[in-house]
Amino acid sequence: MRMQQLRDVLERIAECHLEMQSLYRRLHSNCDSARTRLMLEYLQQHQKHIADTIESYIDDAPKQMMDTWYENLEMGRFKQACEAIVPVASMTEDELLELHLKLDNRVLGYVEHLVEKAPTGEIESAMSDLLRVSKTQQHRLVHSVARMEDI
């Protein structure tokens, strides 16, 4: 049985976003398409912003809430999954979006587990808000990419 404080779990989620940023930086250096490189630059900035926002949330949230313990949370080997992705020079915007959504949905799955296993109503509400905001950002990203294709 693995016990983790909410603070540690949220820090791990922020780390997942930084690992995605690192992956996109690595893909950018091996990409031939100018449009895909542009999208990779945006995704790098976006992942950094999300990680910073989560870290700010941790700093600003009530200590008692951040000190709450969770049981049996498994977050998998996200870093290894990112590192295992082999850069392809010919990656298209659609392939990149598919990859991003796969990774982003994995992180959203972690947040969904936080909602489902929340030990208090206050934490369930806070994690539900985090999940809602994350899904909204994901939808906006997909729409932005669709508009980018029209340019």
Side-chain angles (χ1 to χ4, degrees):
M1 184 178 346
R2 184 162 182 196
M3 300 283 291
Q4 297 173 321
Q5 288 183 314
L6 179 58
R7 170 185 297 100
D8 298 329
V9 176
L10 290 177
E11 285 175 354
R12 179 67 189 110
I13 289 172
E15 287 171 12
C16 289
H17 287 286
L18 293 176
E19 288 159 7
M20 289 170 70
Q21 178 193 28
S22 178
L23 168 64
Y24 298 145
R25 187 177 308 114
R26 190 166 48 92
L27 294 175
H28 183 273
S29 66
N30 290 289
C31 183
D32 290 340
S33 167
R35 290 174 66 99
T36 303
R37 279 197 314 272
L38 180 65
M39 192 170 153
L40 284 161
E41 290 168 10
Y42 171 77
L43 288 173
Q44 288 176 60
Q45 294 170 2
H46 183 68
Q47 295 310 308
K48 175 71 171 132
H49 173 74
I50 292 171
D52 290 346
T53 301
I54 293 171
E55 290 293 338
S56 293
Y57 179 80
I58 293 168
D59 293 341
D60 295 341
K63 182 180 178 339
Q64 181 180 357
M65 188 168 92
M66 290 293 110
D67 290 344
T68 302
W69 291 94
Y70 268 85
E71 285 185 56
N72 300 325
L73 283 180
E74 180 56 45
M75 295 186 65
R77 297 173 166 258
F78 193 84
K79 182 176 184 174
Q80 291 83 349
C82 288
E83 289 174 347
I85 296 169
V86 177
V88 177
S90 62
M91 179 177 262
T92 66
E93 297 142 62
D94 289 338
E95 291 167 335
L96 175 57
L97 181 60
E98 182 180 328
L99 171 64
H100 172 74
L101 291 175
K102 177 181 166 187
L103 295 171
D104 201 41
N105 284 335
R106 188 168 172 177
V107 175
L108 288 175
Y110 301 151
V111 179
E112 287 173 351
H113 287 305
L114 292 176
V115 173
E116 293 166 3
K117 296 185 177 199
T120 69
E122 176 188 22
I123 293 174
E124 180 181 2
S125 176
M127 295 303 100
S128 291
D129 288 345
L130 175 61
L131 181 61
R132 180 185 45 75
V133 168
S134 298
K135 286 183 175 182
T136 299
Q137 287 179 337
Q138 186 184 70
H139 288 116
R140 287 182 181 157
L141 173 73
V142 170
H143 290 298
S144 295
V145 169
R147 281 194 303 269
M148 190 174 114
E149 289 177 0
D150 294 338
I151 295 175

